[in-house]
């Protein structure tokens, strides 16, 4: 029987919602309901990388072992032009900062499956399909601190705390009246070729000679474009008989709008045009030409940056019911540059657990204002963090866009300087530190 009332309702069982659920449970909060609009496993895989700070956060709620055993550890991530390396982030140099001096490659569906396994182990159920359509304060005087949350099926639930973990098009955020805009107030920002991305899971005619045992992600910068390639871990591959690669490519503006499901030929064209020589099908560029032979899945998407005006909507006595909190894509979206979205969302969720527990405890002591301050502080920190991640991804996109417009001799000079600086350990460590999310929460 679906419960009619709960202390905490989590809307959305993506990575951020599950992280919040595990963290609340870890804090001893048991009166908790998690709902999701779709059935388990129906989401497609998007993110591939989990950063060190997020591994630490997952470890803090005992949800890391399954993820580590399914994923592949990467010590370095490289940025290159079409022929050779320019700069790399070396996560192994972070050993003094973390127990996990690496990033983990694992497709998002597998990360979600591992988190769900942990939830089931802890006895936390996800109610599906329960799609939230609206949310209003309860009208009964004795329930003035509750929201009444309505589902598409006509059912409803009353809750004191509603956590919006329902992704970029969050109904919770919209119902709470929280705005969601580019922090620079510039929705029309031009990311050139990087405004659209085509993404596909593919197998090649032969294994491209581009990866080493430490380096399993390659990102190529070419004429204002980006091509990223990374092999699936064998435990999470869509095809156990061969190596499958995740391919992400920007779509050059002159190609117009990318198809909904880019074909093998379309992806091959992008790779031949802007990818590393080792992935090229052209014998003139690649002595061991490779072609995309099989495609398992593909899609395209548009790059957009937005951050919720606030992660917390306080209760307004007599006007609104309970408390609204946002985590994950419901609170921030940005380009996938640097693989930050999933990692940041999981950290939002996990960081919320102790704060919500303290809020409940303080209110039980009658310290309502002090309790709300805890949420305000948490929301301010998370907001600041999201704004800085958005700025980082925009800066990275800016480098790609500028590179595409540069005079070739100037570009060669810039790359030479970057290669020179990139040879220093401090540079490899700094880039890794920035990507890892360490030093932040
Ligand atoms: C094409 C693409 C590529 C990406 N690549 C990367 C990458 O390389 N690296 C990276 O870190 N990130 C990447 N991201 C971003 C990453 O996937 C997200 O940051 C991550 O999924 C956020 O998790 P979430 O739990 O906040 O939201 P979601 O994963 O969107 O989960 C939201 C959940 O809420 C449920 N829901 C929605 N509405 C309702 C409702 N009304 N009622 C009930 N449930 C609801 C949904 O069914 C879903 O399960 C990519 C995103 C896209 C689209």
């Amino acid at each position: 029987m679906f419960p009619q009332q709960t202390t905490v309702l989590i809307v959305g069982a993506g990575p951020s919602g599950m992280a919040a659920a595990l963290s609340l449970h870890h804090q001893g909060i048991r009166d908790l309901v998690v709902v999701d609009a779709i059935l388990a496993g129906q989401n497609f895989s998007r993110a591939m990388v989990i950063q060190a700070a997020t591994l630490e956060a997952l470890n803090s709620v005992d949800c890391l072992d399954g993820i580590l055993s399914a994923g592949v550890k990467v010590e370095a991530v490289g940025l290159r032009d079409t022929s050779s390396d320019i700069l790399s982030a070396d996560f192994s140099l972070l050993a003094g900062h973390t127990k996990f001096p690496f990033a983990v490659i694992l497709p998002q569906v597998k990360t979600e499956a591992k988190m769900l396994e942990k939830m089931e182990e802890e006895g936390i159920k996800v109610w599906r399909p329960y799609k939230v359509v609206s949310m209003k304060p309860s009208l009964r005087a004795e329930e003035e601190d509750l929201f009444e949350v309505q589902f598409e099926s006509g059912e409803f639930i009353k809750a004191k705390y509603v956590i919006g973990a329902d992704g970029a098009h969050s109904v919770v955020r919209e119902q709470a009246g929280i705005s969601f805009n580019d922090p620079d107030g510039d929705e029309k920002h031009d990311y050139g070729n990087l405004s659209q991305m085509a993404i596909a899971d593919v197998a090649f005619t032969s294994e491209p000679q581009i990866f080493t045992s430490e380096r399993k992600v390659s990102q190529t910068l070419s004429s204002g474009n980006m091509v990223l390639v990374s092999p699936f871990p064998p435990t999470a591959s869509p095809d156990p008989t061969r190596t499958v690669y995740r391919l992400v490519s920007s779509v050059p503006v002159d190609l117009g709008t990318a198809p909904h499901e880019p074909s093998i030929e379309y992806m091959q064209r992008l790779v031949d045009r802007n990818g590393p020589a080792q992935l090229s099908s052209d014998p003139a560029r690649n002595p061991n030409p490779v072609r995309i032979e099989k495609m398992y899945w593909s899609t395209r998407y548009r790059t957009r940056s937005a951050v919720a005006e606030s992660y917390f909507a306080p209760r307004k006595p007599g006007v609104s019911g309970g408390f609204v909190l946002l985590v994950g894509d419901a609170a921030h979206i940005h380009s996938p540059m640097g693989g930050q979205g999933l990692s940041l969302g999981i950290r939002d969720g996990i960081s919320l657990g102790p704060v919500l527990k303290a809020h409940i405890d303080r209110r039980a002591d009658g310290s309502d204002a002090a309790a709300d301050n805890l949420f305000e502080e948490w929301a301010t920190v998370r907001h600041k963090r999201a704004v800085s991640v958005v700025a980082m991804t925009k800066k990275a996109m800016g480098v790609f866009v500028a590179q595409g417009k540069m005079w070739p001799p100037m570009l060669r000079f810039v790359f030479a300087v970057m290669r020179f600086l990139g040879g220093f350990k401090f540079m490899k460590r700094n880039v890794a530190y920035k990507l890892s999310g360490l030093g932040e929460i």
Side-chain angles (χ1 to χ4, degrees), residues 11-18 35-38 43-49 108 112 128 130-133 151 165-172 199 246 248 297 299-301 327-330 332-334 336-346:
V11 183
S16 312
M18 286 195 278
V35 294
D36 198 287
I38 59 171
N43 242 336
F44 64 85
S45 218
R46 293 158 285 172
M48 280 288 272
V49 179
Q108 186 169 334
E112 291 184 20
R128 304 169 184 270
Y130 275 83
K131 182 175 181 181
V132 170
V133 288
F151 297 101
D166 48 344
H169 304 287
S170 171
V171 170
V172 173
I199 173 167
R246 165 62 54 86
V248 183
W297 167 80
T299 191
R300 60 114 204 256
Y301 62 97
V327 293
D329 278 18
H332 45 76
I333 51 162
H334 45 77
M337 283 277 174
Q340 298 291 311
L342 169 111
S343 284
L344 188 59
I346 290 178

Side-chain angles (χ1 to χ4, degrees), residues 310-326:
S310 172
Y311 280 45
F312 164 52
R315 197 176 85 80
K316 297 187 192 96
V319 182
S320 70
F323 301 91
V324 174
L325 300 134
L326 300 178

Side-chain angles (χ1 to χ4, degrees), residues 18-266:
M18 286 195 278
L22 287 166
S23 180
L24 293 173
H25 192 269
H26 197 74
Q27 294 294 324
I29 298 172
R30 297 287 182 268
D31 191 19
L32 167 69
V33 171
V34 186
V35 294
D36 198 287
I38 59 171
L39 298 176
Q42 279 191 347
N43 242 336
F44 64 85
S45 218
R46 293 158 285 172
M48 280 288 272
V49 179
I50 309 176
Q51 306 288 355
T54 307
L55 299 174
E56 289 200 350
L58 287 163
N59 192 43
S60 73
V61 294
D62 300 328
C63 183
L64 187 60
D65 293 351
I67 285 171
L68 286 186
S69 59
V72 165
K73 294 176 188 172
V74 266
E75 289 185 358
V77 185
L79 179 65
R80 42 172 301 141
D81 64 9
T82 49
S83 54
S84 62
D85 288 350
I86 299 174
L87 199 72
S88 72
D90 189 341
F91 298 112
S92 69
L93 297 174
L94 301 180
H97 301 275
T98 174
K99 272 198 285 185
F100 310 107
F102 47 83
V104 167
I105 298 191
L106 190 64
Q108 186 169 334
V109 277
K110 199 74 179 183
T111 302
E112 291 184 20
K114 291 289 165 194
M115 294 179 82
L116 192 59
E117 257 172 54
K118 180 67 186 171
M119 301 236 307
E120 282 164 0
E121 218 178 284
E122 301 290 346
I124 314 168
K125 180 180 167 70
V126 180
W127 295 85
R128 304 169 184 270
Y130 275 83
K131 182 175 181 181
V132 170
V133 288
S134 69
M135 210 172 86
K136 58 180 192 310
S138 173
L139 293 176
R140 297 167 70 150
E142 68 276 21
E143 293 177 348
E144 55 149 21
D145 62 346
L146 297 181
F147 277 118
E148 190 174 301
V149 178
Q150 192 89 36
F151 297 101
E152 198 174 46
S153 60
E155 288 167 276
F156 67 88
I157 188 169
K158 290 179 180 169
K160 187 176 282 186
Y161 299 90
V162 177
I163 299 177
D166 48 344
H169 304 287
S170 171
V171 170
V172 173
R173 184 187 67 227
E174 184 246 321
Q175 291 282 303
I178 300 173
S179 63
F180 193 53
N181 293 311
D182 190 312
D184 299 328
D186 181 13
E187 282 285 350
K188 288 189 283 300
H189 202 93
D190 180 14
Y191 301 124
N193 300 330
L194 279 88
S195 303
Q196 273 189 97
M197 297 279 178
I199 173 167
D201 295 341
V202 301
F204 292 98
T205 42
S206 59
E207 301 314 329
Q209 304 301 306
I210 195 169
F211 298 109
T212 62
S213 53
E214 308 81 42
R215 187 178 296 194
K216 300 253 185 259
V217 180
S218 157
Q219 192 167 8
T220 302
L221 187 145
S222 159
S223 315
N225 280 280
M226 185 231 32
V227 174
L228 182 143
V229 62
S230 173
F232 274 73
T235 51
S237 172
D239 185 346
T241 65
R242 61 199 300 182
T243 310
V244 176
Y245 296 82
R246 165 62 54 86
L247 202 53
V248 183
S249 174
S250 56
V251 177
V253 170
D254 61 278
L255 292 187
T257 303
H260 271 289
E261 291 180 10
S263 63
I264 288 184
E265 294 68 33
Y266 191 87

Side-chain angles (χ1 to χ4, degrees), residues 410-429:
M410 184 63 175
L411 184 60
R412 280 195 291 278
F413 172 72
V414 171
F415 279 179
V417 171
M418 284 169 79
R419 276 194 180 96
F420 173 72
L421 290 174
F424 290 101
K425 237 181 176 183
F426 80 90
M427 199 69 176
K428 293 177 197 281
R429 185 174 44 234

Side-chain angles (χ1 to χ4, degrees), residues 312 355 370 372-383:
F312 164 52
V355 180
D372 284 4
N373 281 342
L374 293 173
F375 278 153
E376 294 285 6
E377 280 164 22
W378 172 83
T380 305
V381 169
R382 295 320 299 168
H383 185 269

